[in-house]
Amino acid sequence: MADDGSERVPESADSASGPEGTAPRPLDSIDRSILRMLQTDGRASIRSVAEHVHVSRANAYARINRLIEDGVIRGFGARVNHERAGQGASAYITLKIVQNSWRTVREQLRELPGAAHIALVSGDFDVLLLVHTPDNRTLRELVLTRLQSIPEILSTRTLLVFEETDLDPEA
């Protein structure tokens, strides 16, 4: 129950990727409004979501559950100020990897402390990795010791982040 006496938005499953082999259901304007609201406040109560999108609580609850089951909503989390959380150094690291080694590399990158986002991309490099570390010394150690010791990684390039701005989903 939320502080206002209404239930909270349901938790999502860890692997909510949607039903296998099914095409995604189209989203209507109410679904998109629910998504925008939950992106802004993942702790919103069912009652507040229902009031915001002008549907019943039962309808809001059913829609949110459907969005979770379909894999549209992958989970709920906090937007973290990494600097205040003791992760004052951030960097995007580009990686060139051995051809056909993506799955192996991805699993190893997931284990890195501070890894926040991993993407297989096209262009001059193969992988884009976002990391948050306590300081530059830890970042240096992560790149020179951990990353460069992975045999499938051919080269790295580190781009330090000087300032970050999260975009408001309502903008």
Side-chain angles (χ1 to χ4, degrees):
M1 295 287 276
D3 292 339
D4 63 3
S6 60
E7 66 274 17
R8 288 267 179 225
V9 170
E11 294 297 319
S12 68
D14 286 339
S15 60
S17 58
E20 287 296 318
T22 61
R25 289 184 255 193
L27 303 181
D28 64 16
S29 61
I30 293 173
D31 293 329
R32 287 189 292 278
S33 292
I34 289 171
L35 290 173
R36 278 192 303 275
M37 183 175 184
L38 292 177
Q39 284 178 296
T40 302
D41 180 8
R43 297 178 61 189
S45 68
I46 294 291
R47 184 168 110 189
S48 64
V49 170
E51 289 172 359
H52 180 77
V53 300
H54 309 292
V55 297
S56 70
R57 286 194 304 194
N59 188 330
Y61 189 81
R63 283 174 176 268
I64 291 167
N65 275 332
R66 189 193 81 229
L67 291 168
I68 292 168
E69 290 167 8
D70 286 354
V72 175
I73 295 176
R74 296 182 303 171
F76 298 88
R79 292 191 313 248
V80 176
N81 179 324
H82 296 285
E83 192 169 338
R84 292 188 61 94
Q87 302 290 305
S90 297
Y92 285 96
I93 304 169
T94 65
L95 311 171
K96 287 187 181 180
I97 62 174
V98 172
Q99 189 173 2
N100 297 320
S101 65
W102 163 242
R103 287 177 182 83
T104 303
V105 170
R106 179 184 57 199
E107 294 313 310
Q108 294 177 73
L109 296 178
R110 282 182 168 161
E111 301 299 319
L112 290 176
H117 184 83
I118 306 165
L120 179 65
V121 297
S122 65
D124 293 338
F125 49 88
D126 304 306
V127 178
L128 183 62
L129 170 67
L130 172 61
V131 296
H132 303 287
T133 62
D135 51 40
N136 284 342
R137 181 174 175 217
T138 307
L139 176 60
R140 178 183 177 277
E141 186 70 19
L142 181 100
V143 173
L144 296 180
T145 303
R146 300 286 298 268
L147 283 177
Q148 293 182 358
S149 69
I150 298 173
E152 296 85 0
I153 294 179
L154 301 173
S155 67
T156 65
R157 180 177 228 169
T158 304
L159 307 165
L160 292 177
V161 174
F162 296 127
E163 185 175 320
E164 291 181 272
T165 302
D166 285 334
L167 301 178
D168 185 350
E170 297 222 336

